[in-house]
Amino acid sequence: MKKEYRKYWLFGIIGAICFGIGDWLLGYVDPGIVNENFAVIKAGHGAGYDLSKITITLLFGAIGVPFLMLGCAKMTELVTTGKKIFHFWMILLPVGWLIIHFTVSISIYVYAWGAQAGLDGVGGMLAMDILRMMKPAQIVSYFFAGIPLVMLLICALSGKTVLKKKSQIFTPILWMALLSGLKFVVSATPFTIGIDTFCMNAGVIIWFVYLMLQKAE
């Protein structure tokens, strides 16, 4: 691992932390179910939810994009085949992540604003309509964010990277699945919901930290 790569892994960590701050502010709430149609909107996003958290979430998401993109782009140097297509998808990862970040934040904002204005029913209907409207964009964005992470795992499993074989266990998608799966085995609390929202950030942070710890050439 070349020594000059380390700054890019640090950039990636900074980017994921920025996104993580926002995701934690969105997810660490009362996990009570509001509506079966709401996957991300919880009881804690009601009248007591501080709307300034949405401002902070979107601000840190915007700040995090360039840092995360620098780290993701440099990961092209880790694979031994298909560098061009790998680079293409890695550049799209932060783009998809930001769009998902935005759509979720806006729906929560609308729901919380309605609750605080005494318009719970209207806020809920508008939030649902916004989620429905943004669903196609979200689906595309999940492909943007998911495909490069799956490609990275496949490359690691098939030995098509310059890394050691044990790198497989540090790939982001495995940690994302593990942390997200906690909600199925423990009781729902603000912490477990927060971890679920934070899981993608955690997986990427673990991966970049692993890269940082590799011996420099």
Side-chain angles (χ1 to χ4, degrees):
M1 185 73 65
K2 294 183 179 180
K3 188 175 182 179
E4 69 253 29
Y5 290 179
R6 285 187 170 180
K7 65 181 179 182
Y8 292 98
W9 312 147
L10 179 58
F11 289 152
I13 292 170
I14 292 172
I17 288 175
C18 285
F19 273 104
I21 289 171
D23 282 343
W24 189 260
L25 292 175
L26 293 177
Y28 189 79
V29 297
D30 178 349
I33 296 174
V34 174
N35 186 312
E36 293 293 342
N37 294 316
F38 289 150
V40 296
I41 297 176
K42 306 296 182 182
H45 294 125
Y49 188 75
D50 187 351
L51 293 178
S52 67
K53 291 181 179 180
I54 302 297
T55 302
I56 297 170
T57 293
L58 294 176
L59 172 62
F60 274 91
I63 293 172
V65 166
F67 286 101
L68 188 60
M69 190 169 289
L70 286 168
C72 288
K74 186 54 68 172
M75 277 199 279
T76 304
E77 303 301 324
L78 302 177
V79 299
T80 55
T81 60
K83 286 181 176 290
K84 288 185 178 180
I85 188 67
F86 189 82
H87 179 79
F88 171 80
W89 282 106
M90 274 296 166
I91 289 295
L92 286 179
L93 191 155
V95 176
W97 204 339
L98 183 62
I99 295 173
I100 295 167
H101 211 58
F102 176 79
T103 57
V104 170
S105 296
I106 293 304
S107 62
I108 289 175
Y109 181 89
V110 168
Y111 178 81
W113 187 93
Q116 293 176 24
L119 301 169
D120 301 59
V122 175
M125 287 190 294
L126 185 55
M128 187 179 296
D129 196 52
I130 287 174
L131 286 171
R132 188 182 303 113
M133 176 188 68
M134 292 184 171
K135 192 67 174 180
Q138 275 192 333
I139 292 172
V140 171
S141 300
Y142 277 117
F143 277 107
F144 285 174
I147 288 176
L149 295 178
V150 172
M151 290 177 67
L152 177 61
L153 175 62
I154 292 173
C155 287
L157 290 173
S158 60
K160 295 179 180 178
T161 74
V162 298
L163 301 169
K164 297 176 181 178
K165 189 175 182 179
K166 68 177 182 180
S167 68
Q168 302 167 5
I169 64 175
F170 295 99
T171 50
I173 201 166
L174 296 182
W175 289 93
M176 289 164 57
L178 176 64
L179 293 173
S180 182
L182 285 177
K183 64 179 179 290
F184 299 113
V185 296
V186 298
S187 300
T189 66
F191 182 78
T192 57
I193 297 300
I195 288 294
D196 184 38
T197 309
F198 184 77
C199 70
M200 184 172 178
N201 309 288
V204 172
I205 290 170
I206 289 169
W207 173 249
F208 280 123
V209 168
Y210 166 74
L211 295 179
M212 283 279 287
L213 295 176
Q214 299 313 293
K215 185 178 180 181
E217 294 178 356

